[in-house]
Amino acid sequence: MALRKDFLWGGATAANQAEGGIFEAGRGLTNTDLLPAGPDRAAIGFGTLDNLQRDPKYFYPGEVAVDMYHHYMDDIELLAKMGLKTYRMSISWTRIFPNGDDPEPNEDGLKYYELIFKALKDRGIEPLVTLAHFDVPVALIKKYGGWRDRRMIDAYVNYAKTVLTRYRGLVKHWLTINEINILLHQPFVGGGLIFKAGDNVEKITYQAAHHQLVASALATKVAHEIDPDNLVGCMLAGGSHYPYSCRPKDYLEAILRDNGEYFFIDVQAWGYYPSYALKKFEREQITPIFEAGDEAILRENPVDFVSFSYYCSRTVSAYDEDYAEATGNLFKSIKNPNLPSTEWGWQIDPLGLRSSLNMLYNRYQKPLFIVENGLGAKDEVTPDGQINDDYRIDYTRQHIQAFKDAVEIDGVDLLGYTTWGIIDLISASTGQMSKRYGFIYVDRDDEGHGSLKRIPKKSYYWYKKVIASNGDEL
Ligand code: BGP
């Protein structure tokens, strides 16, 4: 079995890392607008450093990002010329509802995305839309403390209903919440949570998780009611756990750590809480409060497909030994001595993508979608204005080969592949521009200097051929 004929080749961005224009046309502030570049970013992202006011001492890279807000037509033109079949992007919640739950939506915000979706459709590009990509309106953090409060469910579902209704017929593929398991690792980024001394962090986080899971199921329900053709996916920060050694305890540790991350997807795909999670909650006395009807909402509204990001596998051990550390998207693990690393310490493991696809397909038996994958690396512009990013081509080629094998040899059902940061944008973990993922270069640096000019990289032309040959020409 080869890749589907209608395989969705594409690229991905997110509003908070690409758009900028955060004060334009009535937009309200969102949590990620408050993430500065520099050393405090991680603590703010975790929710231990309360930073609900923008502080002039910081540089906020998301304020302008790569200014897609103003460049979107030119950018879409570049994406179309690459031959993209799909473009993954997120709607900024606070462009639609500046305070998250205003009585009426902001027409300017609705119009903005309508123009984008129409421009994409006109060029034969299917939008793949994330409803919340690290996006919690600041007004709702102030009012409710973010997702710890159940009232977030109504605000989110009302927002979802508004955009699902408005973009009916324009958008068919939806993702409810980006990398939903990131809530455990960066609770402010994932859920707008800020902790005070004495807070039971785990209890609050899992209660917030429950609210997100119910909200996601309700959004799935609404999406299906509004248009039965809508396809809704959940979204996991993926990458399986490897045992550091073949000691049985290490293997068990890897399984348990996988469970810890897949918990969210288990609920969204199966429609119920897995037994290992219920046991953990009981043992640790952190069982989330369920309201009457929650179980039925989850059960009756599982997702249609499972999407995930894949950058690296993660290595773990049950033993407290002196291991070297590897970073990875927003959480750390042990450095795997068998794998090379990027300049940012993320380990490169194409075969791990095939393993993850197998694991997820076996576990869920639903179509899969790789909605993020890519290499964050420094690029150099040659004196004649070229970017020869062979390292990025190499990385992407190996990952594409891995998913082709998962489809062709292992029989995994894969809907598509969108590379992360199809156009350079700011890094979620560091706020840097210099950690570039794009096939399209953007002239902007870590301090916010640069013309914002776009230049297709060597990878741009390479990917164009890959798409045109449906993955045959790598
Ligand atoms: C994921 C996020 C993205 C993206 C990517 C790369 O966790 O969904 O928003 O940024 O990782 O991570 P980074 O930007 O930290 O290199």
Side-chain angles (χ1 to χ4, degrees):
M1 190 176 70
L3 292 182
R4 295 160 169 257
K5 286 209 166 43
D6 58 353
F7 189 79
L8 289 167
W9 293 97
T13 62
N16 77 88
Q17 289 161 261
E19 274 182 8
I22 66 170
F23 299 113
E24 300 272 353
R27 180 186 178 282
L29 277 184
T30 196
N31 59 339
T32 34
D33 297 336
L34 302 177
L35 295 179
D40 289 343
R41 187 177 180 89
I44 293 171
F46 186 80
T48 40
L49 192 60
D50 183 343
N51 182 50
L52 278 186
Q53 306 304 327
R54 283 165 61 87
D55 186 332
K57 80 173 185 224
Y58 290 128
F59 168 60
Y60 292 95
E63 185 168 334
V64 175
V66 293
D67 200 30
M68 224 176 190
Y69 184 75
H70 295 106
H71 290 73
Y72 74 93
M73 276 312 289
D74 293 343
D75 290 342
I76 289 174
E77 214 51 71
L78 280 170
L79 300 181
K81 286 194 182 128
M82 217 189 309
L84 252 54
K85 309 280 185 208
T86 190
Y87 169 51
R88 175 180 176 226
M89 54 178 281
S90 70
I91 296 177
S92 158
W93 183 341
T94 54
R95 276 198 204 288
I96 311 299
F97 290 102
N99 295 295
D101 62 350
D102 312 66
E104 294 299 328
N106 173 13
E107 179 55 30
D108 284 348
L110 286 169
K111 193 89 210 142
Y112 174 67
Y113 292 108
E114 187 170 281
L115 291 173
I116 291 181
F117 298 145
K118 283 192 172 148
L120 290 169
K121 287 292 243 194
D122 287 349
R123 287 157 185 78
I125 303 175
E126 274 302 311
L128 163 60
V129 176
T130 317
L131 287 167
H133 190 126
F134 301 156
D135 196 355
V136 188
V138 168
L140 296 182
I141 300 176
K142 289 184 175 160
K143 197 161 156 187
Y144 298 144
W147 280 96
R148 72 172 69 206
D149 191 302
R150 189 169 174 103
R151 286 170 292 183
M152 282 297 292
I153 299 176
D154 282 349
Y156 173 88
V157 175
N158 184 51
Y159 153 63
K161 197 180 225 164
T162 304
V163 295
L164 281 155
T165 307
R166 177 68 173 244
Y167 306 128
R168 184 176 188 276
L170 281 175
V171 181
K172 187 174 145 188
H173 291 87
W174 299 88
L175 304 179
T176 54
I177 297 177
N178 180 63
E179 292 190 335
I180 190 165
N181 51 319
I182 286 301
L183 183 66
L184 300 177
H185 308 281
Q186 290 266 293
F188 179 73
V189 173
L193 305 182
I194 297 170
F195 302 108
K196 290 179 223 49
D199 272 351
N200 183 335
V201 171
E202 268 220 303
K203 191 173 168 65
I204 292 169
T205 306
Y206 278 106
Q207 187 63 54
H210 179 67
H211 297 148
Q212 290 195 343
L213 291 166
V214 172
S216 170
L218 285 170
T220 306
K221 177 173 193 273
V222 169
H224 290 149
E225 283 165 1
I226 289 174
D227 186 346
D229 280 347
N230 275 332
L231 293 171
V232 185
C234 52
M235 174 10 176
L236 166 84
S240 307
H241 292 89
Y242 294 173
Y244 185 79
S245 74
C246 53
R247 285 183 282 185
K249 276 193 179 175
D250 275 354
Y251 178 57
L252 178 64
E253 180 68 18
I255 292 176
L256 299 180
R257 294 284 287 274
D258 269 348
N259 282 349
E261 303 304 323
Y262 300 145
F263 153 69
F264 295 85
I265 307 304
D266 288 353
V267 179
Q268 290 172 296
W270 293 339
Y272 55 87
Y273 273 56
S275 50
Y276 64 81
L278 293 173
K279 281 284 178 200
K280 170 191 162 76
F281 297 153
E282 193 185 307
R283 202 167 48 243
E284 297 175 16
Q285 298 182 359
I286 56 168
T287 304
I289 299 163
F290 273 60
E291 278 197 2
D294 285 1
E295 276 183 62
I297 291 167
L298 296 175
R299 192 177 53 246
E300 287 159 15
N301 301 288
V303 288
D304 302 307
F305 65 94
V306 171
S307 84
F308 67 106
S309 62
Y310 179 82
Y311 294 92
C312 45
S313 49
R314 310 170 196 281
T315 302
V316 294
S317 170
Y319 300 90
D320 195 12
E321 287 166 11
D322 198 16
Y323 300 111
E325 210 174 64
T327 44
N329 48 333
L330 302 167
F331 51 110
K332 295 190 168 69
S333 65
I334 293 173
K335 189 166 183 189
N336 182 335
N338 305 297
L339 298 173
S341 301
T342 72
E343 288 173 82
W344 275 265
W346 295 27
Q347 296 206 274
I348 302 175
D349 181 11
L351 201 57
L353 175 57
R354 180 169 165 194
S355 310
S356 284
L357 284 160
N358 271 280
M359 214 284 308
L360 291 169
Y361 194 55
N362 291 345
R363 191 160 177 138
Y364 300 119
Q365 293 287 303
K366 288 190 188 259
L368 303 178
F369 205 140
I370 305 162
V371 294
E372 283 185 33
N373 170 242
L375 176 70
K378 289 187 182 136
D379 288 331
E380 253 177 58
V381 186
T382 61
D384 60 343
Q386 298 191 37
I387 298 105
N388 296 312
D389 55 342
D390 292 289
Y391 37 90
R392 187 169 292 108
I393 294 174
D394 225 46
Y395 175 101
T396 316
R397 177 189 292 122
Q398 291 181 48
H399 285 79
I400 293 176
Q401 188 58 56
F403 76 64
K404 280 178 65 181
D405 289 347
V407 172
E408 289 165 9
I409 303 172
D410 310 325
V412 164
D413 184 7
L414 185 62
L415 296 174
Y417 173 70
T418 59
T419 60
W420 176 249
I422 186 82
I423 179 164
D424 289 345
L425 36 64
I426 60 171
S427 154
S429 54
T430 68
Q432 291 167 300
M433 266 308 297
S434 52
K435 191 179 186 192
R436 296 175 181 277
Y437 285 90
F439 295 162
I440 300 167
Y441 184 87
V442 179
D443 177 26
R444 190 165 169 87
D445 68 15
D446 289 344
E447 284 78 44
H449 309 115
S451 64
L452 291 166
K453 185 179 167 205
R454 276 66 168 148
I455 311 171
K457 304 180 191 177
K458 189 171 177 186
S459 51
Y460 177 97
Y461 302 101
W462 171 81
Y463 196 48
K464 188 181 163 108
K465 277 201 208 150
V466 173
I467 298 175
S469 65
N470 201 24
D472 284 345
E473 244 183 83
L474 286 182

